[in-house]
Amino acid sequence: MIVRIMGEGQLDVADSHFAQLNKLDDELLAEMEGGDEEGFRRTLGALLEAVRRLGAPLPDDALEPSELILPGPDASLDEVRQMLRDDGLIPG
Amino acid sequence: MSGVMKRMGMIFRAKANKALDRAEDPRETLDYSYQKQLELLQKVRRGVADVATSRKRLELQLNQLQGQSAKLEDQGRKALALGREDLAREALSRRASLQQQVSDLEVQHQTLQGEEEKLTLAAQRLQAKVDAFRTKKETIKATYTAAQAQTRIAESFSGISEEMSDVGLAIQRAEDKTAQLQARAGAIDELLASGALDDQSGLGSKDDIQAELDRLSGGTDVELELQRMKAELAGGPSAQQQAIEGGAQGNAQQPQTQHRFDKQ
């Protein structure tokens, strides 16, 4: 699956790794919904690290739609929450 | 997968598609830009043609002036031959002023020629650039079309898979419900059979009547059997009579038991 880390680029991550990533991802969602900023930062860091470690970076000129998208490493809990709201990202 | 990754991906795709649909088609923009470049090239070419026309006009003028100058020289020679030195002087002075004009025009002609060469070169360069742009434009357009198609494919794929999971869920629900109903039916049957639950349907009471009828008919059978045996005994020995009497008793009980099992 193609995963995009916002501001960094795309990585191709083998499907077999997703059980592992999903655990972190679910944790991240729970921390975001619970408003646990510190936990959110830690889990986001761990998740990005795992994606970078397990994935192969796609060339910059590759034209592949991302199936999964992750916020960049410096994204705050509030920013991500903003993005996940229905009218985020590209307004309108 | 319902975490941040998936949700962000879904929102991104939805937004990107919306943006893609609404934004001005870059292919049109590229075509427009190419059109503009062609117009510019056309203008430069027209400029080159204009300069060339001016140059040709100058050449004609130069020819004319040189013709006149030659004529004046000829006239001067003739005047001198006829002994009209004053006339010859006049012709030569006119020729001198013409020569001045000729050399002026020759300078202009040279300038124009240089200008024309520069413009021709510029037009050639521009032509090359426009050609390169056309190639690039076609590449960009093809890439854009491919990206658009890919987005659409991804979109329809995700739509299809969502629908499929919906169908799967519906089937799952139907199966669950069936299993639940079956389990419940089984439980009710058991409860009814054990007598813990009274059967409220008409079937139950009918069964009661049937049971009564069975019992009655069973009783009749016993009576009939007894009568038959008694008739047999009336003519048989006493030892045989006892054995048959025991067997008859067993026989008489058998149908009753069987009926009870049947009911259940």
Side-chain angles (χ1 to χ4, degrees):
Chain A
M1 247 193 233
I2 309 293
V3 181
R4 173 178 293 283
I5 299 178
M6 283 172 75
E8 277 189 29
Q10 292 176 300
L11 296 109
D12 193 356
V13 182
D15 287 5
S16 54
H17 296 310
F18 271 96
Q20 194 183 338
L21 295 176
N22 267 335
K23 237 186 100 224
L24 285 167
D25 193 25
D26 289 340
E27 252 179 68
L28 190 67
L29 187 67
E31 280 153 353
M32 200 198 74
E33 280 166 353
D36 177 6
E37 175 90 41
E38 201 190 305
F40 176 85
R41 294 228 61 78
R42 195 179 49 236
T43 312
L44 179 60
L47 182 55
L48 293 178
E49 219 296 291
V51 170
R52 286 188 206 113
R53 182 163 38 85
L54 301 169
L58 246 60
D60 283 343
D61 58 349
L63 248 176
E64 294 271 355
S66 307
E67 282 151 286
L68 297 169
I69 294 173
L70 270 168
D74 50 357
S76 75
L77 194 152
D78 273 338
E79 278 170 348
V80 175
R81 195 178 280 158
Q82 206 82 44
M83 282 192 277
L84 287 182
R85 270 213 325 240
D86 273 345
D87 223 24
L89 299 178
I90 301 160
Chain B
M1 201 176 304
S2 59
V4 174
M5 283 197 283
K6 171 90 177 228
R7 279 179 62 187
M8 283 192 66
M10 277 172 6
I11 290 167
F12 249 108
R13 263 196 299 284
K15 300 284 181 192
N17 284 342
K18 237 200 265 178
L20 205 66
D21 284 348
R22 247 203 326 235
E24 176 187 25
D25 194 332
R27 288 169 298 189
E28 279 173 27
T29 316
L30 285 170
D31 281 339
Y32 177 76
S33 172
Y34 178 62
Q35 202 58 44
K36 284 281 148 202
Q37 287 186 26
L38 277 183
E39 278 170 26
L40 182 68
L41 181 63
Q42 211 59 38
K43 268 186 200 161
V44 172
R45 279 199 184 134
R46 220 171 287 138
V48 175
D50 284 351
V51 172
T53 311
S54 302
R55 175 179 53 80
K56 274 199 181 121
R57 202 174 293 139
L58 272 184
E59 279 168 10
L60 279 174
Q61 262 180 302
L62 272 173
N63 280 344
Q64 229 177 347
L65 285 176
Q66 269 158 352
Q68 272 181 344
S69 161
K71 196 175 149 194
L72 282 170
E73 196 188 328
D74 205 35
Q75 279 175 342
R77 199 172 287 127
K78 273 182 186 165
L80 205 65
L82 288 171
R84 288 287 302 274
E85 205 186 311
D86 58 328
L87 216 61
R89 202 180 296 273
E90 178 59 28
L92 284 176
S93 76
R94 279 192 201 175
R95 182 182 169 267
S97 86
L98 273 183
Q99 274 312 118
Q100 185 57 47
Q101 278 186 55
V102 165
S103 63
D104 281 356
L105 279 180
E106 266 170 354
V107 171
Q108 269 191 54
H109 180 257
Q110 246 173 355
T111 316
L112 268 182
Q113 215 161 19
E115 208 72 28
E116 192 186 335
E117 271 165 24
K118 266 194 268 179
L119 273 173
T120 308
L121 211 68
Q124 276 168 356
R125 271 206 290 263
L126 190 61
Q127 172 78 63
K129 269 188 189 169
V130 171
D131 283 348
F133 181 79
R134 195 190 57 216
T135 311
K136 201 173 175 184
K137 168 184 79 104
E138 291 309 320
T139 312
I140 293 170
K141 275 165 74 177
T143 313
Y144 179 81
T145 309
Q148 210 179 28
Q150 244 167 343
T151 314
R152 294 225 172 100
I153 288 166
E155 189 182 29
S156 55
F157 257 119
S158 67
I160 286 165
S161 64
E162 259 167 39
E163 261 173 36
M164 286 309 279
S165 71
D166 280 354
V167 170
L169 272 178
I171 290 170
Q172 180 77 52
R173 272 199 297 274
E175 277 174 354
D176 284 354
K177 208 166 177 185
T178 310
Q180 212 177 20
L181 283 173
Q182 276 172 345
R184 205 170 149 216
I188 289 170
D189 277 352
E190 262 174 51
L191 287 171
L192 279 173
S194 72
L197 203 67
D198 282 335
D199 194 341
Q200 299 296 319
S201 67
L203 279 158
S205 54
K206 215 186 248 173
D207 274 1
D208 283 349
I209 292 164
Q210 191 61 46
E212 189 64 31
L213 280 173
D214 285 350
R215 207 166 56 235
L216 283 173
S217 70
T220 320
D221 284 350
V222 172
E223 290 306 312
L224 282 172
E225 195 76 357
L226 271 173
Q227 271 176 12
R228 192 177 57 83
M229 281 173 187
K230 276 178 189 163
E232 272 177 12
L233 283 170
S238 65
Q240 224 185 349
Q241 185 187 352
Q242 265 196 327
I244 291 171
E245 216 171 57
Q249 256 181 349
N251 269 347
Q253 273 172 342
Q254 201 74 3
Q256 255 189 332
T257 344
Q258 226 149 20
H259 276 300
R260 257 218 306 277
F261 279 128
D262 276 350
K263 188 214 158 192
Q264 277 180 348

